[in-house]
Amino acid sequence: MLANIIVKPGKIELRDTKNPSPCSGEILVQIRVALTCGTDLKAFKRGHPMIPMPGVFGHEFSGIVAKTGTGVRRFKVGDEIMAVHTAPCLSCRYCQKKIYNLCEKIMDTKVLGAFAEYILLPPHIVKQNVFHKPKNLTFEEAAFLEPLSCVVHGMESLDIKKGDYALVIGAGPIGLLHLLLLKNIGAHVAMVDKHNNKLSMAKKLGADFVFNPGKIEQKIIPPCPPLVNGGWGDFIGFDYIFECTGMPEVWEKSVNYVRKGGTVTLFGGCKSDTTVTYDTGRLHYDEITLKGTFHYTPSDVTKAYKLLCEGRLGVSRLISGSYSLKKTQKAFDRLAKGKGIKYAIMP
Ligand SMILES: [Zn+2]
Ligand SMILES: [Zn+2]
């Protein structure tokens, strides 16, 4: 089968590789759509500790069951499916505590290689995190299950309500997915990004206010007078901040925009070995919660699946175009230049 190999940062090659065959409990999925993701882009630009090179990559996908191993009952050949590329082991110390997203084996047992004709899913994923794609969803929409699960996980413990105020920092694919979920809940959403084209996309997708970072530094200092003048009469600072850039300096500044008692969710992963500094008085007397978020549990995936099936989010609007397997390099070259949000790779 044909599979894209990321040889080193900046270089992707389509190679003929061994045809995988499912063993007991496994399924072989013929990929219909695989989506580019921020993690893939980081790997393409500078390498990534979780994406070894040279190696296959791509982890957001949907497709059709091509072969099943013995003992697989829930799926049969020809079924249209959507899935994520990990599942917890259910036996480690974190799994015993039901903190499944932090399972000690979740990253070691992940599956990469969605930018290919086929992907082989192991039994622990087949059992927990593969779903039948309903007919009302396109394969493009179904491929959003993985990134949406991450975003669902970050919001799961927050109890966000209609009318709450949220600021999303970074209008890349993950920031925009935050926007779609927040608008679905009925929150007021402001978005910040340094690229005006991404901000106009955010506006199109329903953001109430958009700002360029130059402006946010000058103007949005709590309690954010421009927003009050803009019509948010009861605004006292954001209830929630979602940091989606993965830059330490932005992690630090994000705390400036949250109201007393509010929560800053740190979604964007920074380069390893970076550190941040916060004003202790602000965290202590204003009771600010700083919350890291990583990956997802099977219940987050189920929730994301249901949200997609409802069809109200309109996730396909985040797809900027599609490329054949052979042109995967082109899609990443464009992303590296800041062009487009997500691309669909279609074998
Ligand atoms: Zn991803
Ligand atoms: Zn585990």
Side-chain angles (χ1 to χ4, degrees), residues 37 59-60 146:
C37 154
H59 58 270
E60 302 179 1
E146 202 276 339

Side-chain angles (χ1 to χ4, degrees), residues 288-310:
I288 307 299
T289 302
L290 293 181
K291 195 180 171 304
T293 180
F294 176 68
H295 213 60
Y296 40 76
T297 67
S299 84
D300 298 319
V301 182
T302 302
K303 195 168 174 197
Y305 173 68
K306 285 180 183 158
L307 273 164
L308 284 173
C309 292
E310 283 169 19

Side-chain angles (χ1 to χ4, degrees), residues 156-218:
E156 195 50 20
S157 59
L158 296 180
D159 191 30
I160 303 165
K161 293 189 192 72
K162 187 174 178 203
D164 283 349
Y165 295 101
L167 172 67
V168 181
I169 307 178
I174 286 292
L176 293 171
L177 277 179
H178 276 85
L179 168 65
L180 295 181
L181 273 187
L182 288 162
K183 290 315 294 178
N184 192 48
I185 297 168
H188 302 290
V189 186
M191 287 201 78
V192 190
D193 198 284
K194 58 184 178 191
H195 301 288
N196 284 332
N197 58 334
K198 290 188 178 161
L199 290 179
S200 60
M201 180 72 179
K203 195 85 198 156
K204 250 191 251 165
L205 294 175
D208 299 272
F209 288 93
V210 295
F211 300 94
N212 205 293
K215 285 180 196 159
I216 196 170
E217 284 318 307
Q218 294 152 21

Side-chain angles (χ1 to χ4, degrees), residues 262-283:
T263 300
V264 178
T265 299
L266 301 163
F267 190 105
C270 300
K271 276 189 195 158
S272 44
D273 298 325
T274 48
T275 54
V276 286
T277 305
Y278 288 105
D279 173 357
T280 53
R282 177 92 173 102
L283 297 192

Side-chain angles (χ1 to χ4, degrees), residues 82-343:
M82 48 210 277
V84 298
H85 69 304
T86 71
C89 75
L90 303 180
S91 62
C92 75
R93 290 166 295 176
Y94 285 89
C95 285
Q96 281 166 22
K97 287 183 187 296
K98 299 188 169 31
I99 315 172
Y100 299 113
N101 59 310
L102 302 182
C103 165
E104 290 170 353
K105 298 194 181 132
I106 203 158
M107 282 296 127
D108 296 338
T109 57
K110 70 180 185 300
V111 174
L112 297 177
F115 299 133
E117 286 180 299
Y118 296 93
I119 194 165
L120 187 65
L121 300 181
H124 70 298
I125 295 179
V126 175
K127 272 189 214 133
Q128 300 179 73
N129 280 339
V130 182
F131 298 81
H132 290 277
K133 178 183 88 61
K135 284 280 173 228
N136 66 314
L137 278 194
T138 63
F139 282 104
E140 283 90 340
E141 290 167 320
F144 276 89
L145 185 62
E146 202 276 339
L148 189 64
S149 299
C150 293
V151 179
V152 163
H153 177 75
M155 290 191 188
E156 195 50 20
S157 59
L158 296 180
D159 191 30
I160 303 165
K161 293 189 192 72
K162 187 174 178 203
D164 283 349
Y165 295 101
L167 172 67
V168 181
I169 307 178
I174 286 292
L176 293 171
L177 277 179
H178 276 85
L179 168 65
L180 295 181
L181 273 187
L182 288 162
K183 290 315 294 178
N184 192 48
I185 297 168
H188 302 290
V189 186
M191 287 201 78
V192 190
D193 198 284
K194 58 184 178 191
H195 301 288
N196 284 332
N197 58 334
K198 290 188 178 161
L199 290 179
S200 60
M201 180 72 179
K203 195 85 198 156
K204 250 191 251 165
L205 294 175
D208 299 272
F209 288 93
V210 295
F211 300 94
N212 205 293
K215 285 180 196 159
I216 196 170
E217 284 318 307
Q218 294 152 21
K219 289 185 188 163
I220 305 186
I221 297 159
C224 305
L227 295 184
V228 175
N229 298 339
W232 288 354
D234 56 344
F235 186 75
I236 51 171
F238 291 98
D239 304 297
Y240 300 101
I241 312 283
F242 296 94
E243 199 298 320
C244 304
T245 74
M247 294 193 284
E249 59 276 22
V250 182
W251 276 43
E252 286 179 342
K253 279 173 188 145
S254 59
V255 82
N256 295 344
Y257 314 117
V258 71
R259 66 157 168 79
K260 291 181 187 185
T263 300
V264 178
T265 299
L266 301 163
F267 190 105
C270 300
K271 276 189 195 158
S272 44
D273 298 325
T274 48
T275 54
V276 286
T277 305
Y278 288 105
D279 173 357
T280 53
R282 177 92 173 102
L283 297 192
H284 179 80
Y285 293 105
D286 290 350
E287 251 192 15
I288 307 299
T289 302
L290 293 181
K291 195 180 171 304
T293 180
F294 176 68
H295 213 60
Y296 40 76
T297 67
S299 84
D300 298 319
V301 182
T302 302
K303 195 168 174 197
Y305 173 68
K306 285 180 183 158
L307 273 164
L308 284 173
C309 292
E310 283 169 19
R312 278 186 306 174
L313 296 178
V315 286
S316 59
R317 293 176 292 170
L318 301 191
I319 298 181
S320 312
S322 63
Y323 287 94
S324 65
L325 269 187
K326 215 165 67 186
K327 299 217 162 119
T328 304
Q329 167 95 34
K330 262 204 175 129
F332 281 95
D333 284 338
R334 282 187 73 80
L335 288 171
K337 284 184 202 141
K339 289 182 183 161
I341 308 287
K342 269 175 120 59
Y343 290 100

